Amino acid sequence: MTVPGRRSSTFTRLLRHGFTDPAVAERLLGLPEMASVRSDPVLLDALGAVADPDLALRGLVRLVEAQEPTARRRLLDTLVTAKPLRDRLLGVLGASEALGDHLARHPGDWQALVTYEATDLHPGVAEFERGLADATDPVSLRIAYRRCLLSIAARDVCGTTDVAEAAAELADLATATLRAALAIARAAAPGDDVLCRLAVIAMGKCGGHELNYVSDVDVIFVGEPAEGADESKAMQAATRLASHLMRICSEPTVEGTIWPVDANLRPEGRNGPLVRTLSSHLAYYQRWAKTWEFQALLKARPVAGDPALGEDYIEAVEPLVWQAAERENFVADVQKMRRRVVDNIPAAQIERELKLGPGGLRDVEFAVQLLQLVHGRSDATLRSGSTLEALRALAAGGYVGRADAAQLDSAYRFLRAMEHRIQLYRLRRTHLVPEEEADLRRLGRSLGLRTDPVAELNKEWKRHAAVVRRLHEKLFYRPLLDAVAQLAPGETRLSAEAARQRLEALGYADPAAALRHLEALSSGVSRKAAIQRTLLPVLLGWFADSADPDAGLLGFRRVSDALGKTPWYLRLLRDEGAAAENLARVLSAGRLAPDLLLRAPEAVALLGDPEGLKPRSRDHLEQEILAAVGRADTAEVAVAVARGVRRRELFRTAAADLIGSYGTEDNPAEADPGALVDRVGNAVTDLNAATIAGALRAAVREQWGDELPTRFAVIGMGRFGGHEQSYGSDADVLFVHEPREGVDDQEATRAANTVVTEMRRLLQLPTTDPPLLIDADLRPEGKSGPMVRTLASYEAYYRRWSLVWESQALLRAESMAGDEELGRRFIDLVDPLRYPAEGLGEDAVREIRRLKARMESERLPRGADPTLHTKLGRGGLSDVEWTVQLFQMRHGWAEPGLRTTRTRLALAAAHAAGLIATEYAQILDEAWVLATRVRNGVMLVRGRPGDTFPSDGRELAAVGRYLGYEPGHVGDMLDDYRRVTRRARAVVEELFYGA
C-alpha cells in the first residue's frame, strides 16, 4: 500500500530507468493486458536501455492491445524470455514512433524480429526480394517494405550493424523495392513490357549504397526497343512503365508512401524525356552535360530492369565521368554548386542543418567526390560510389593524409548516425537537428549518450562539424605540400603526376612552377617552414578561388621571401584570421595591388588590422606628408617620402576595394557597387591632393623657404575635382597665383612657373613608386596658353573669351592645394560661368550637343567596340556625365543641390528636384557606376589604365570576378554591360539630345 503523499516504489524505479513521465508509465503497466510482465525487472531494465523509454512503453502497450489473446501471450512470453527479440523490439519502439504505428496496425509483424540467423544479421538484395515477394499492389508493397524496414532499424538501434552497414541495407531494400514496383507495373501492362527493354539506374545515395531511412531515391531510366519493335512506340511504352513504377513507390495510399522516386538527374532534368535510349544519353553527355552531371554519375549503379542494358549504360558513361576533371572551370563549377547549395538554406535553419550547413555531410561528400574525379582518371581504385569507401581508398593512395581521413571518417559516421536517428523517429525526410528538449534527449540517448544526453549531443555534434569545416578544404590542398616535403615513415606521398593533375584541376596554368614555389616555401625543419606548411593548404584554396592562382602563389612567395626574416609576418598570417585570406585575395586578383605591395612588403600589416583597410582622411594624409617634407633635407627626398605614402595608401585603397568586391568567409562582398566606387574615388582624390600639397611645399621650401613671393593655389578639374579618380588617373588641374603685396608681377609669375615645373618634375622622377602625372590642358587657351595665370588674368579671359565647353569643364573645379583663400576666390569667380543666371541659352545648348556628337564620331579609338568602351562608348561615362552637366548648367542657378563637382550627387539632386524621373535617374546611375567599376577593375587586373574590357581571357575573367561574376560567366558580364549601357543611352537620347 502506498502512503498518501508518498510516491510508489514503481514510480521511483521508473524514474531511475529513464522515464520522463513515470505517472503515465505506471498507469500503462497497470493495464490488465500487461499484468503478466508488470513487475518483471528484465522488462524494466530493457525499457530503461532504449532511446525513449516512455515512447517504447506506449508502443509496446499498443502492440499488446492489438493482439488476439493467444498471440498476446506468445508475444509477452517471448519478450521476457528471448533477449534478442526484447532488445530489437523495444529498441525500435523507443526510437521510432512511425514503426510503432506500423506494428499497431499490423500486429503480426513483430515476428519479423524474432529470427536471429546469420543471414538475418546482414541481409542483401536477395533476402529483401524474398521479403517483398508476396506484394502484388502498392498497398501490400508498402506493408512488406515496412516489415523489412523493421528488421533494418532493429539491427541499427541495437548496434548489430554500424551506420555504413545500415545505409547499405537501406539501399539494398530500395533496390528490391524498385524491382518489385517494376514487376507490378509490368504485370499491369504486359503489352508495354513486350515492346521495350527498360533499365533503372540508381543515382545519389541509393546508387552509392549509402541511403537514408527517408530519402528521395534518385534514378535514371534507359530504354531500348525490343527486337523488331518500333523505337517510337517502344519509348512510349518504356515511359509508361517508368511513370507507373514512380507512382507505385511515391503515391499516398492507406499505408502512406514508401519514398519519392526522383528522375530529375536525367539529361535536361524535368524538361527532358523521362526515358531515353542509350545513344541519346551518350549524345547528351558528350555535347551538353554540365560538370555537376558527371559528378552525379559517380554513383550510378544499375538496380532494376534489364541487367544487360544497365551494364551497357554504366560501361558507356564511365569513361566520360573520369574525363570530367579535364573540363574548363571544373573545380570552380563544383565549388560554385556547393556555395549555391549553402546560399539556398534559410538563414534560420543553417545552424541546424546536418546535411547542407557548414561542416555538414555535404562538405565531406563534395570534397571526396572532387578528389575522386581529379585522381580517378589515373587510379581505378578510387572509383567507388560510397563516400566512406572512397575516403579509405584516397587515404591508401596518398591522396589524403591518413590522420585527416580517419578524423573525417569518424565525423561523417557520427553525422550520418544523427541523420538516421532523426529520420527514423517519424520516418520523415529531414536533415534538421530538432530544437525540442525531449527530441534532443531521445536523439542523444539513441547514440549512446546517457549521462547528460542533450549537452553531450550538442558538444559531440559541434566537435564533429568543426572537424569537417577544418578538414574539408585542407583535404584537397595538404597533400600538395606532402608531395614536396619529407614525410614520416609509412606515409604515402602524392606522386608528381597526381600533384600536377590536382594543381591543373585547381586552375593553375603552370603546375611545375607552382610545385617549385611550394617546395621553396615549405621545405626544411625551421619554424618558418612549419608555419608555412600550416598556412599553405588554406591559402591554396583561396588562390584557386581567384582568376589567376599562379599569380597569387608567385606573389605570396615573393612577399614571403621579402619578409621571411621579419618576426611578425608569418605570425600575423597565422594568428590574425582575416590577414591570410585578405592577402590571398589581394595577391591573386590582378597586378596592381601586388606590385604596390612588393615595393614595400611591410604594408601587408594593414591586412590584419580591422581598421587597416579604412581610407585615411585628407587632413590626416596632409599632416603626415607635410611633416615628412619638413624633416627632409632636399626636395627630392621630401617628395620621395610623399610618393611612398601615396603608394602605401594606394595599396590600402586597392586592397579594400578587392576585398570588398570579392568578400571573405566572414564578410560577404559589398552589396552596393556605388559605395565601392565612391570609396575609391574619394580615397584616391584625397591621396593625390595631399601628395600635390606635399610636392608644392617641397618645391617652395627648396628655393624660397617658408613663403613663395606669390599666393598660389591648385584647382582640381575633371575627375580630380569631381572626387572620381581611379588608380591610374592623371590629376587635371589649373594653377592660379596672385602676387604678394610689393612683389613685381613678372617676379611673381616667374616664381609660380618655377614652382609648377618643379612640382611636375618631382612627381614624375623615376623611382619604384608610381608617378603622379599633372595635366593642365584644361587651362584657358589649352596647350597654347600660359601654364599659370593670376586670378585677374583668369577673370579677364573668362569675361572676354570663354567658350561654352570651358564653362562646362569648370563644373568640376574645386580648390585642392595651396592658398585656401585664393582657391575660394577662384571658385567664386567661376560660379557664374558654370551656373549661369537663368540657365543656358538655346544656342549654348545646341553648341554642347554639337560638341558631344563630334566627340562621339572623332574620339572613339579606331577598332574599339562602341558598346564596350567605358568612357566614350554608348551609355558610358561621357554620355552620363554630359547629360548630368547639361542639367547643372541649365538649372544650377536655381537648384543649390546641383552645385557640386560630383556626378552621382548632381544626378541625385536633379532627381530630388523633379528634373529627372526616378527610373531614368536609376538607369543613368547604374550605368555610370558599372562603367567606373570596369575601369577600376581593368586597372587592378592589368596594372595599367584602360577604357575597354581586356582581350586576354584570364584578365577578362579576373575583371569578371572583381565585378562579382562566377568563373565561366564572362559572357554574362559583357551581355549585362551592353544591356545596362544600352538602356542608359536611350535615356541620354531623350534627356540630352531631346529625342
Side-chain angles (χ1 to χ4, degrees), residues 337-356:
M337 187 163 62
R338 171 73 186 110
R339 281 194 296 271
R340 191 182 302 132
V341 167
V342 173
D343 291 345
N344 287 335
I345 303 172
Q349 295 182 355
I350 196 162
E351 291 303 319
R352 295 194 295 128
E353 252 290 350
L354 263 184
K355 179 180 179 181
L356 304 177

Side-chain angles (χ1 to χ4, degrees), residues 20 136 171 245 269-270 347 462 484 591 673 802 822 903-904 982 994:
T20 57
T136 55
L245 178 152
R270 64 186 61 201
K462 299 302 181 190
V484 295
R591 294 180 188 169
S802 175
L822 179 60
T903 301
R904 296 190 74 210
R982 182 173 63 248

